[in-house]
Amino acid sequence: MQATDSGRAVYWGTGRRKSSVARVRLVPGTGKLTINGKDGDLYLQYNMGYLAAAKAPLDTLGLENEYDILVSVQGGGLTGQAESIRLGVARALCELSPDNRKPLKTEGYLTRDPRAKERKKYGLRKARKAPQYSKR
């Protein structure tokens, strides 16, 4: 959904992974990443893997220094949050231009990873771990 933020075009995208949800805004700027009001490097603990994952869709299209990424993310751990940001950025870029869809789709950035934690079952210790079996 395109909106204007004080005269500038803003593109929105929502990303989900495991139990984390990221609401992403793309604003024309210099390529700065801000997550929950903090600098992206600080929030993702300077982990290059997480930072690269979050900015990967922009790198694929060569727009890494064209847009600022403003993110509100909650739930899950850093891995799930970084990957949910990646999906949100990719969806926002599709909103920016329909031509962006094909290269992002080939890289797999528009696919929502359906894997999540399996629920615990009664009588078991975890989802599948059973108590030790005793024959006698």
Side-chain angles (χ1 to χ4, degrees):
M1 175 172 91
Q2 181 182 355
T4 53
D5 178 38
S6 64
R8 299 184 302 177
V10 179
Y11 301 94
W12 288 87
T14 303
R16 293 182 191 86
R17 169 76 169 95
K18 289 187 174 180
S19 61
S20 63
V21 179
R23 288 190 300 277
V24 177
R25 277 188 299 167
L26 282 184
V27 182
T30 57
K32 195 171 160 218
L33 174 64
T34 307
I35 304 171
N36 291 347
K38 291 184 183 176
D39 183 45
D41 295 338
L42 178 66
Y43 188 88
L44 295 174
Q45 301 174 357
Y46 301 96
N47 185 314
M48 296 313 292
Y50 294 152
L51 289 165
K55 295 180 179 181
L58 286 171
D59 293 339
T60 301
L61 299 173
L63 300 171
E64 54 273 350
N65 297 324
E66 310 265 330
Y67 291 95
D68 287 342
I69 307 169
L70 304 170
V71 184
S72 168
V73 66
Q74 65 240 351
L78 285 180
T79 302
Q81 288 185 352
E83 292 184 17
S84 66
I85 291 169
R86 182 180 73 187
L87 178 59
V89 169
R91 286 181 173 174
L93 286 168
C94 283
E95 194 178 295
L96 178 118
S97 167
D99 300 336
N100 293 340
R101 185 169 177 80
K102 190 161 177 65
L104 292 173
K105 189 72 176 168
T106 22
E107 290 293 323
Y109 296 146
L110 291 173
T111 306
R112 202 271 198 208
D113 192 341
R115 294 176 296 169
K117 189 170 169 93
E118 192 175 336
R119 78 170 198 85
K120 183 194 174 299
K121 280 81 169 189
Y122 57 86
L124 301 182
R125 297 223 164 109
K126 298 196 310 185
R128 298 188 182 199
K129 183 179 182 179
Q132 185 174 6
Y133 174 74
S134 172
K135 193 169 184 179
R136 291 181 185 84

